[in-house]
Amino acid sequence: LQEEQEDQSSGINAEYGGDSAGNVRLPGIMMLGYVAAHSENLAMAVIVSKGVVQLAIALQEEQEDHIQAAAAWALGQAGRHTPEHAKAVAQANVLPTLLQCYLRAGSSEDLQTKAKKALKNILQKCVHLPALEPLLHDAPPNILKHVVAQFSKVLPHDAKARRLFVTSGGLKKVQEIKAEPGSALMEYINIINGCYPEEIVRYYSPGYSERLLERIDNHMPIMTN
């Protein structure tokens, strides 16, 4: 299987021509997307051939929305198959760029749609938490739901990840999210909070330090003779 992927990847690399730019780049981007969409093995061949790196560069560097939209679509196709595929795509640091394309006021409707779809495709498979954490701070609610969902899948089964989630500020950020009672997002938050002792969750909840200070102000010292 590995030899087959290497053979496929060498062909893909030769086809792409990653040094091009602008509209000349578009056929190569579309080709990578169609190949990656076809099967898990072909998507992995795109990854092995550094095709995802080239797509990430196109997404970052291209000025034309239609080319960025094609790159976003292709990245979504490469990352949607398995957690391994999603991790490889996320490690190319494309998630913040896709989010930027989706949120940018000047983006075309097509670019916003394809960036949003690519984010959803990758996020629903990605369990590589370091790549997801920046999105906790920047994503709007409709994307944040998918990010928090992935944390709720991983944290109950990974003690090291639970500790890192606290020290990185992730648990604090989750307490600041305003979720509708009964919503899927609220359910994911409850699962995450259930991974920690109640006093830890309380400590990182908004306003907790102020409440502690109030208790200090209101506390009467015990006088000893």
Side-chain angles (χ1 to χ4, degrees):
L1 179 60
Q2 188 174 354
E3 285 179 11
E4 183 185 335
Q5 285 176 349
E6 285 172 358
D7 290 343
Q8 291 167 338
S9 70
S10 61
I12 289 168
N13 206 35
E15 288 277 335
Y16 177 66
D19 292 334
S20 57
N23 282 323
V24 178
R25 214 177 210 166
L26 192 57
I29 291 171
M30 298 301 292
M31 183 275 293
L32 289 176
Y34 283 119
V35 170
H38 195 266
S39 71
E40 286 183 21
N41 284 351
L42 286 172
M44 190 52 72
V46 168
I47 291 164
V48 171
S49 72
K50 310 293 185 192
V52 164
V53 174
Q54 294 297 337
L55 291 170
I57 291 168
L59 186 70
Q60 185 79 44
E61 291 184 353
E62 288 295 340
Q63 302 299 310
E64 298 288 337
D65 279 14
H66 69 283
I67 302 174
Q68 284 189 310
W73 168 77
L75 286 163
Q77 298 308 310
R80 71 182 174 86
H81 295 281
T82 70
E84 190 181 359
H85 290 78
K87 179 180 178 181
V89 173
Q91 285 181 319
N93 200 33
V94 300
L95 296 178
T97 313
L98 285 168
L99 184 63
Q100 204 175 46
C101 290
Y102 172 54
L103 295 177
R104 192 171 65 217
S107 291
S108 67
E109 188 178 341
D110 185 47
L111 175 54
Q112 288 179 332
T113 301
K114 286 189 168 64
K116 179 185 175 184
K117 179 67 173 171
L119 276 167
K120 186 177 173 182
N121 281 348
I122 299 162
L123 288 173
Q124 287 180 334
K125 292 293 182 182
C126 188
V127 291
H128 181 59
L129 301 187
L132 298 180
E133 197 145 327
L135 273 66
L136 271 179
H137 301 273
D138 301 325
N142 60 332
I143 302 295
L144 189 62
K145 174 178 68 176
H146 300 295
V147 178
V148 177
Q150 297 309 101
F151 281 99
S152 76
K153 291 176 189 175
V154 176
L155 292 177
H157 311 288
D158 190 332
K160 185 181 177 185
R162 289 197 294 273
R163 183 179 178 84
L164 281 172
F165 195 60
V166 173
T167 57
S168 68
L171 184 63
K172 181 177 185 292
K173 178 60 189 172
V174 164
Q175 305 317 307
E176 295 167 0
I177 296 170
K178 292 175 173 60
E180 290 288 324
S183 65
L185 180 55
M186 191 75 244
E187 185 183 334
Y188 302 142
I189 291 170
N190 288 339
I191 292 170
I192 291 169
N193 287 346
C195 295
Y196 297 94
E198 194 179 326
E199 61 269 26
I200 296 290
V201 175
R202 216 169 31 237
Y203 179 79
Y204 286 105
S205 297
Y208 183 71
S209 56
E210 287 83 358
R211 290 196 296 275
L212 276 182
L213 287 172
E214 276 180 28
R215 287 180 64 185
I216 292 169
D217 291 341
N218 298 328
H219 182 71
M220 295 300 292
I222 297 171
M223 308 301 290
T224 58
N225 294 328

